[in-house]
Each structure stands twice: as C-alpha cells, then as structure tokens.
Amino acid sequence: MADTNKIEFISLKVGEIAPNPEQPRKFFSEEAQEELTSSIKENGLLQPVVVRPVEGEKAPYMLIAGERRWRSCQAAGLEVIPAKVVAGATEEKAYVLSIAENVNRADMTIMEEAGAYADLTAAGWDPKKIAKQFGKTETHITWRLGLLTLRPEVSEMVDEGKIKSNLAWHIAQLNPANQMVAAMRYVRGDFDSEADAQHFANGLKMMESQTSLANEKAPTAEEQEKRTKAKVKAKDGLSKAEEVLIPLLEELAEKKPEDLAVILGDDLARHLRVVGRLYAKVQMVRNLLSKAQGIQRAQVEQFNKEAAEVQQEAAAKKAEKPEEATKPAAVKPAVKRSTGAKPAARRAPAKKAAQAAE
C-alpha cells in the first residue's frame, strides 16, 4: 500500500494543477475572493495549496485543499505557486483532507458541510467515525445530516444565513409543504425569537402525526366543563401575577442596591433565594407558554389549510359541471285533469271583488 504520509513541498505551475470535482465547498463569496486576490497581489501566496499526483489527467496534480487560493493566484497573474504534495493519497483520503481543510472555516456553508458528511456516510462512514475524524460531537454530525431532507428553497435560506442550523433541523423534520410554511413565516418576522419559531415547527409536526382536525370528536359535556374550569383558574392566576407581582418587581427594580441592602437587612439573602426560585419558574413557564403558542399557531395553520382544501374541492366540483349551473330548469308537463273534478276557483283581486259586489 502506498505511503499516504509522504509529503514534500515544491513549486508548481498554476496550469499543472486542476481543481477537485468532488470539492465539498460549492459556494465561494465573490467579495472574499476579490479580497484574497488583492492580498496575494500584494504579499504573494503565504500558505501553499495541497495537491496530490494524478495519472492519466490533463493536469498532473489535483487539488486537495486551497481552491480559493489557487483561483486567486490565477486572478493575480501568478504563474508558479508553492504547493504541498501528498503522495499516494487515495481519492477517499484526499476527500477527507479536503473536508478537514474546510469544515471549520466560517465561509463553508452549513449545507455544504452536511453534504460532505453525507458523502462520507455513503462511503461507509458512520456518524461516530466522522465525528472523531473532524473533532465534532456525534450529535453535531447527526443534526447536520438531518438537514439534507430540507427542500431546495429552504436549504438556500439556510446557506444564505436567513435560517440558523438549530431551527433548520426542526424545520427539516416536517413534510415539504410545512417546511415552506415554517421557513417563510420565520423569514418574514412572524415570531419574536428563534425558540418561538422552533415551537411552531414542533406544533406543525404534532399536527402531521394527528388525524384531521375536522374529524376530531367534540368534547363531552364533562370534558368541556373541566376545560372551562381550568381556563378560568389559569387566567385568574395569571391576572393576579400581573396585578400584584409585576408592580412589586417594578418597584424593587427602581431602587438602588445600597438602599435594598438597608431596607431588607437580614432578610436579603432569603429574598434573593426566593427571587432566584421565582426566576427559574418564570423561565420554565415562559418556555411552556411559548410551546403552547406554537401548537396553537400550528392548529390555526392546519385549520386554514383544511378550510382552503375544502373550498378548492368545492370549486373544482363546480367547475366540472358548468352546464348544470346555466341550464334552464326543465318545464314539467301539464297534468291532465279529470273531467269529473272542478278546477279550483281563482281568488279574485280585492278591487274586482268589490266592483262585483256593487
């Protein structure tokens, strides 16, 4: 087996090097590329590119790492550049080195990173091995691979930085239609925070796993009574907190620390613990309410979707038989009366009846 650790530094003509068609990075910022070109024109190439020898190709060397540098050297008009040659590197080894070169760079997009891990997975690598190779956690690799189910439009939003990786993973768990709903609502600013958007996506996922809302059974009288009591109790409790607790905290917030030290005295430590516990509970309830809001928004979204489907179905049925809507009503044939039966007398108008009476 060839020694993949054999490395030498030499100078190569730019034309002797070819880019790697399997380069994990697909997006190169034009602005960053121009800046690098200007730097190379001014200072030369400070960090050599990494290549491997190839046989039977037009160029005798292929890039392993440093395509941006190689492109900028061409743009800067350099004919000869320093290179680190890794002899005997297999295609898989070269690809791993290329990923290692780019995976921690800020300008490698999230989706490019996910695609690179997917290529290694296709080659038989499991997330644990990939994580160990690149100094990542196994969860990080799994979450990145999970992004590959995103529809192209959403993937583009992720690559452009409009949607962060954590939210993108939650969106990736949805069907394609709901992915677009969650992504577009987040991008247009429908949510106060990324967490709220995640809760909405989770709510949509919950709706996907349930039966149609239109087919759900109506609550029984007993269930409805329980819901009503719970609603009244929760609203009453939150109203009390709003009326009593918030004004108290606002009053304390206006005081100076040195004043509170005197006012609370020996009870200061106890009050600090109480407020600490209160803060933890408020954070927990805030999170619960945000999740509840996400579910509620998802329910509304689902209801609107189903209502629109019903309207479309009705419109489609109406469009299938347009002639029935314009067809004149059929005239019923006259019924022949029996000769023995007298026709019903018509009631004379009041005016004619009065004249007849005179």
Side-chain angles (χ1 to χ4, degrees), residues 179-254:
Q179 284 184 17
M180 207 62 192
V181 170
M184 290 303 297
R185 289 195 60 174
Y186 176 72
V187 170
R188 75 187 184 197
D190 285 359
F191 307 104
D192 293 335
S193 67
E194 185 178 340
D196 288 346
Q198 288 180 14
H199 294 154
F200 174 68
N202 293 338
L204 288 177
K205 184 63 180 177
M206 187 181 299
M207 295 300 102
E208 289 179 4
S209 62
Q210 292 179 355
T211 56
S212 170
L213 294 178
N215 295 329
E216 288 185 359
K217 294 181 179 179
T220 63
E222 184 179 356
E223 290 172 340
Q224 188 62 42
E225 185 179 359
K226 286 182 179 179
R227 290 183 185 181
T228 301
K229 288 182 178 179
K231 181 178 180 179
V232 171
K233 185 177 180 181
K235 290 179 71 175
D236 185 54
L238 290 172
S239 296
K240 288 180 179 178
E242 188 175 6
E243 293 171 5
V244 178
L245 189 56
I246 293 179
L248 174 61
L249 293 175
E250 287 177 344
E251 183 182 348
L252 289 172
E254 292 175 358

Side-chain angles (χ1 to χ4, degrees), residues 128-194:
K128 185 176 182 179
K129 182 179 179 181
I130 297 173
K132 184 178 180 181
Q133 177 72 36
F134 300 110
K136 306 290 184 181
T137 65
E138 190 172 346
T139 300
H140 176 91
I141 303 300
T142 303
W143 276 53
R144 284 292 188 269
L145 291 172
L147 298 179
L148 296 174
T149 58
L150 288 171
R151 55 187 293 169
E153 302 94 330
V154 182
S155 294
E156 188 174 345
M157 294 179 195
V158 176
D159 267 347
E160 292 174 352
K162 295 178 180 177
I163 299 175
K164 294 182 180 178
S165 59
N166 285 346
L167 175 57
W169 185 88
H170 287 275
I171 294 176
Q173 310 311 304
L174 302 172
N175 64 41
N178 280 337
Q179 284 184 17
M180 207 62 192
V181 170
M184 290 303 297
R185 289 195 60 174
Y186 176 72
V187 170
R188 75 187 184 197
D190 285 359
F191 307 104
D192 293 335
S193 67
E194 185 178 340

Side-chain angles (χ1 to χ4, degrees), residues 73-85:
C73 285
Q74 286 182 308
L78 271 65
E79 296 183 358
V80 177
I81 60 174
K84 180 168 71 173
V85 181

